Amino acid sequence: MSRSKSIKLKWVLIGLLAAAPIAGQGTAAYAAKSVAYQRDLLASEQQLGSVYVTANSFFQLKNAVILPSENGRMLFFTMTVANGEAKELSFLDYWVRVSSSSGAEFEVQLLPQDKAKKDIPAGQSMDFSFYAPVNDSVTLGELSFQIKHWNYMSAALEEQVGSIQFPAELDSVLANSSDSPTLTFGSFPVEAQITKRYLQQKDSYLTPRLQMRLTNHGSASLKLPGLQYSLRTSSGTLYPLDAVVPADKQLLTPEVAVELQLKGSLLPKAAAEGDWEVVISQPVAIADDQKLNYPIATLTVPAAVQESIPLGSPVDYTNLTGTYRLQVEKLQRMPWEDQDILSSDLSLTHQEESALPFPDLKAYFLLDDGVKVEAKAIRTDRAAGLPPGTPMHVQLAAKIPYTYPFSSVRLVVQEKVSETTAEDMAQFELPLPNVSMPMVALGDKQPITGAGRKATYAPRAVNTYVDDTSKWVEVQLETINQEKRSAALPKVAAFLKTPDEQLFPMKIREVKSKLNPSGIAVQSLITKLPRDFDTSKLSLVVGEAVTDQHWSGADEKTDAYLNAVEMTLPQEQTTPKPILKNVDMFPYTISIGHVQTTIDNKGLRINFDYKLSKDNFYETNNEGTKLIFVFEDAGEAGPTEEVLYLETKPTDDDKKLDLGDHKYLISKADPDLMYRTKFMKQYKLSIYSELQGKRKLLASKMVDWFTILD
């Protein structure tokens, strides 16, 4: 048998720990915990004996294991040849044969990279790795390793120098797979460990994800070699695993642990039973068109992390750009018109050296393990990517009928890898949510978080406007910009809620101008109720408005909301002022003075001075704001009204009041008015605020005729 010139062994087998079959059974009958012969892990008294080929040179069995392969069951073993002589020992003079106790012989082949080894220098040793196909019934303990010496003087051309056999007490020399064996690549010792095991259920199958940690204990960096990974279940079945290795983790720097992710395809549910192991193999070309995966280590797999991660627990996911950490912070079931919104807050972070791109997320809620409800992914932070160590948030929201009951809910988060394919990132087992929201007490502010849109809001005041049949309820919502730059006002959606859970949607009179840092805006939230409806115990349900998969813009129609809360409303000021000074209709204040009336056969004239001021610190939308001045006598004349807009008026025919101190004349031509006015003792002058045709009385004062009111 020829040998080529000796070269240095590139891959040295250190941690060969894998499956050993049970005697007399087929390939499916394997021990739940894999075992192998591993000399380096045994005490000296447990190690198998050596075969001396000279007085000071010997063969030792370093490791041996039987594993299933694409070509059937395969024996893998390594012999260490130690030369204790003062001259070279030629390996070409020796060979190894393997047979079973039943007499079956198995053809042994040397790995191609070891065929170049020829001589063992004096005082040194070399490892030689072999493989041999074996039958379905043979076990490791039945095998005998015979060391042959070529002897061309004998008829058989060879003679046996000695053999290595396993003892009757086989367990005493077999080792279990290791939690963290050390692999040697050239002169680089690398510790390997499976740190986490995740199982995700999809229909009647399981998808495994394993986290593997590699630590280079060498003195220089090592490029990660091209290894193959397989998952071995307790039945002995091997399933391929794909290693997801980001580009920046291809290099193993000394003493810096690198986390890789191993992903499997669909496994039957039964595969989850019993212990698991990961078999690490090195692809070896044994022919021009044939490769052999030579095992170099087997790692124990820890117990599975829950198939679905509970609320608040993190889970790692790796793709080609890096490793992301996902965590679901909360689950809400919020009312929305005739539906409910299921919403989860998902945070993503990572510990890579530089920013990672935001993964293209998809998600769905699985109700009662059968009803799939697609969710929208709404990025709540304004960021181009994910900076290291800084959590970024995504809201995952779906709508269900508000009467729909369910007993379990699971959130499945996926990464969209193509137009037709999505890969599961994590599954979260969530607690059953009630249709309830956090309660915000009166005086407290609700924060809006998220990069680029930080703000707080709270109800400022409540006003009720009535007519003969219905009323408007207005809630003034005060919002403060907490960003360090000017920012658009976050859009909200709101409902008025009654104690018996009725919801009334509210329209919003929006403020569209941007707010400076610490700037404050006040928006009007309005809904219509029956005139006699009790408004004393109403609360405000309000959340951040969403359109499709993003926060709603100023001119976009809202189709959902997130982070909804229930806020206690302040008591409405319902008693009108008894004087006409400092009458408040935010953001305006008006004072009326020097009121003088004149009535004759031409009609009524009311002269007065007014001072109109405005709090310009607040950004408001005052379009259409108007006051109604009403003059009423005790007689049969009926009220006289003057409609006055503030600052601006819709048309030239309308009337308005300007900011500052001014005089104003109300003139009503009516020759018969003085005859319908009773006694001319007193009249009542009232100021109303009007909203879309309905009014609220702000102030009212009884005034003597023909006197001047200051």
Side-chain angles (χ1 to χ4, degrees):
M1 180 178 296
S2 64
R3 297 287 193 275
S4 60
K5 187 176 180 180
S6 175
I7 61 172
K8 183 178 180 181
L9 176 62
K10 185 176 182 181
W11 309 110
V12 181
L13 177 62
I14 293 295
L16 180 56
L17 305 171
I22 298 174
Q25 298 186 14
T27 57
Y30 286 80
K33 193 78 170 177
S34 71
V35 290
Y37 177 72
Q38 179 68 22
R39 184 182 182 89
D40 293 347
L41 299 181
L42 299 175
S44 58
E45 63 272 14
Q46 294 176 288
Q47 296 173 352
L48 299 182
S50 304
V51 174
Y52 278 80
V53 295
T54 70
N56 298 304
S57 301
F58 54 85
F59 279 57
Q60 285 180 338
L61 182 64
K62 185 174 184 179
N63 46 56
V65 67
I66 296 175
L67 282 177
S69 73
E70 294 180 358
N71 300 316
R73 299 178 72 226
M74 195 75 67
L75 166 68
F76 301 95
F77 67 96
T78 299
M79 285 285 180
T80 298
V81 181
N83 179 14
E85 304 295 343
K87 61 180 181 178
E88 289 183 342
L89 176 68
S90 175
F91 182 70
L92 300 179
D93 293 339
Y94 300 92
W95 188 240
V96 180
R97 296 194 184 278
V98 176
S99 61
S100 70
S101 57
S102 64
E105 293 189 0
F106 306 105
E107 183 180 356
V108 174
Q109 298 288 337
L110 189 64
L111 285 186
Q113 61 259 39
D114 285 354
K115 291 180 180 179
K117 298 176 182 179
K118 180 178 179 182
D119 299 315
I120 298 96
Q124 296 186 24
S125 61
M126 283 187 179
D127 287 341
F128 295 85
S129 296
F130 303 83
Y131 65 95
V134 297
N135 59 41
D136 289 343
S137 60
V138 71
T139 65
L140 194 62
E142 298 176 49
L143 297 180
S144 172
F145 300 82
Q146 298 106 38
I147 311 303
K148 302 286 186 175
H149 179 260
W150 299 110
N151 184 353
Y152 300 106
M153 302 299 294
S154 68
L157 300 179
E158 64 181 35
E159 60 184 2
Q160 181 168 315
V161 182
S163 65
I164 300 172
Q165 295 177 321
F166 290 97
E169 296 294 330
L170 184 63
D171 289 345
S172 66
V173 297
L174 296 183
N176 287 326
S177 54
S178 174
D179 290 336
S180 53
T182 298
L183 291 71
T184 298
F185 302 113
S187 61
F188 295 89
V190 176
E191 182 182 353
Q193 183 181 16
I194 303 297
T195 57
K196 293 178 183 177
R197 164 187 175 183
Y198 299 108
L199 278 180
Q200 296 177 353
Q201 182 175 338
K202 184 178 291 185
D203 300 326
S204 58
Y205 296 93
L206 300 173
T207 300
R209 262 191 313 119
L210 309 176
Q211 203 78 14
M212 184 173 70
R213 179 180 298 144
L214 297 177
T215 306
N216 175 14
H217 293 304
S219 57
S221 296
L222 168 69
K223 185 176 182 181
L224 190 65
L227 302 175
Q228 298 291 324
Y229 306 91
S230 298
L231 173 64
R232 179 188 177 276
T233 66
S234 60
S235 68
T237 307
L238 289 176
Y239 296 92
L241 295 172
D242 293 324
V244 182
V245 187
D248 63 340
K249 294 184 178 179
Q250 296 282 357
L251 198 66
L252 302 180
T253 54
E255 304 304 332
V256 176
V258 170
E259 297 278 352
L260 307 181
Q261 198 164 96
L262 305 177
K263 298 181 180 180
S265 54
L266 299 181
L267 276 64
K269 277 188 177 180
E273 299 176 1
D275 296 325
W276 280 6
E277 295 161 333
V278 170
V279 179
I280 304 177
S281 303
Q282 172 67 37
V284 176
I286 57 177
D288 291 340
D289 58 350
Q290 188 177 5
K291 287 187 177 181
L292 178 71
N293 287 331
Y294 196 91
I296 61 173
T298 297
L299 310 178
T300 57
V301 176
V305 176
Q306 286 179 267
E307 176 185 319
S308 294
I309 312 302
L311 193 72
S313 296
V315 60
D316 291 337
Y317 170 80
T318 302
N319 60 19
L320 293 178
T321 60
T323 298
Y324 299 81
R325 175 154 291 183
L326 289 73
Q327 186 169 327
V328 171
E329 306 289 351
K330 65 179 180 180
L331 174 68
Q332 276 190 286
R333 183 172 181 174
M334 302 169 290
W336 177 263
E337 298 178 348
D338 61 345
Q339 297 176 302
D340 281 347
I341 295 175
L342 284 179
S343 170
S344 283
D345 182 10
L346 174 71
S347 69
L348 292 93
T349 186
H350 67 88
Q351 299 300 325
E352 307 288 347
E353 293 183 358
S354 56
L356 294 181
F358 222 99
D360 191 357
L361 296 179
K362 293 182 62 179
Y364 62 88
F365 291 97
L366 194 63
L367 308 181
D368 295 329
D369 288 327
V371 179
K372 183 178 179 180
V373 184
E374 295 290 345
K376 292 181 178 180
I378 300 106
R379 287 176 55 175
T380 59
D381 293 308
R382 294 174 182 171
L386 287 174
T390 302
M392 292 291 170
H393 292 263
V394 177
Q395 293 275 357
L396 305 171
K399 292 179 182 177
I400 60 174
Y402 83 94
T403 56
Y404 184 79
F406 52 89
S407 58
S408 68
V409 56
R410 182 184 303 166
L411 174 64
V412 180
V413 182
Q414 300 175 312
E415 181 186 18
K416 185 178 178 182
V417 295
S418 71
E419 289 300 321
T420 58
T421 306
E423 182 175 315
D424 284 1
M425 301 176 72
Q427 294 185 15
F428 296 91
E429 194 73 37
L430 304 179
L432 286 178
N434 296 318
V435 186
S436 62
M437 292 144 290
M439 195 73 194
V440 180
L442 185 64
D444 291 342
K445 293 180 172 62
Q446 172 63 16
I448 294 177
T449 59
R453 59 193 313 270
K454 293 184 178 68
T456 59
Y457 63 84
R460 180 185 183 277
V462 175
N463 294 302
T464 302
Y465 300 82
V466 300
D467 62 14
D468 293 338
T469 60
S470 61
K471 59 187 172 185
W472 292 115
V473 176
E474 177 206 33
V475 176
Q476 294 179 355
L477 191 70
E478 182 177 290
T479 305
I480 304 175
N481 177 22
Q482 302 290 353
E483 290 289 337
K484 296 180 180 179
R485 304 287 181 91
S486 62
L489 194 65
K491 191 171 181 177
V492 298
F495 298 85
L496 273 186
K497 180 184 175 185
T498 67
D500 61 352
E501 306 292 328
Q502 295 184 70
L503 291 178
F504 294 88
M506 307 192 80
K507 296 179 180 179
I508 302 176
R509 191 157 68 174
E510 298 178 20
V511 173
K512 297 184 179 181
S513 56
K514 287 188 174 183
L515 294 181
N516 289 328
S518 300
I520 305 176
V522 176
Q523 300 181 103
S524 291
L525 314 180
I526 306 164
T527 193
K528 187 177 181 180
L529 298 175
R531 179 183 173 90
D532 297 330
F533 198 92
D534 182 10
T535 60
S536 61
K537 297 181 180 179
L538 295 177
S539 59
L540 178 68
V541 173
V542 59
E544 300 166 54
V546 171
T547 300
D548 194 23
Q549 291 183 273
H550 59 271
W551 297 121
S552 298
D555 297 319
E556 292 182 313
K557 183 179 179 181
T558 298
D559 54 35
Y561 62 0
L562 297 173
N563 303 321
V565 294
E566 185 173 347
M567 308 191 82
T568 303
L569 292 174
Q571 289 294 318
E572 180 181 6
Q573 178 62 43
T574 57
T575 303
K577 294 195 71 169
I579 59 175
L580 305 182
K581 300 292 185 181
N582 298 318
V583 178
D584 179 55
M585 60 285 189
F586 182 84
Y588 296 97
T589 301
I590 191 169
S591 293
I592 304 296
H594 204 73
V595 181
Q596 186 175 6
T597 56
T598 303
I599 189 169
D600 55 25
N601 57 5
K602 294 181 180 180
L604 173 68
R605 292 178 298 281
I606 305 174
N607 293 278
F608 61 87
D609 296 340
Y610 74 88
K611 180 179 181 180
L612 180 66
S613 59
K614 180 182 179 182
D615 191 338
N616 287 309
F617 181 74
Y618 296 88
E619 294 290 339
T620 56
N621 182 348
N622 306 307
E623 184 179 352
T625 301
K626 54 187 173 182
L627 295 178
I628 313 296
F629 281 65
V630 179
F631 173 90
E632 296 176 276
D633 179 72
E636 300 175 356
T640 298
E641 298 183 358
E642 184 86 347
V643 178
L644 297 171
Y645 288 89
L646 303 183
E647 292 195 84
T648 60
K649 56 184 181 179
T651 68
D652 291 339
D653 294 332
D654 292 310
K655 300 175 182 179
K656 69 180 179 70
L657 299 177
D658 296 315
L659 294 177
D661 294 294
H662 302 277
K663 296 182 180 294
Y664 195 86
L665 169 65
I666 298 175
S667 178
K668 296 294 181 183
D670 187 347
D672 298 326
L673 179 62
M674 63 180 297
Y675 303 108
R676 299 195 306 273
T677 302
K678 188 176 182 180
F679 305 127
M680 292 189 180
K681 289 185 176 181
Q682 282 190 320
Y683 64 89
K684 182 167 66 174
L685 185 59
S686 302
I687 301 175
Y688 290 84
S689 175
E690 184 172 288
L691 177 66
Q692 298 180 19
K694 305 181 193 302
R695 297 179 179 181
K696 177 177 182 176
L697 179 60
L698 303 179
S700 184
K701 176 70 175 176
M702 296 300 297
V703 185
D704 292 335
W705 274 98
F706 310 118
T707 61
I708 298 175
L709 174 66
D710 283 324

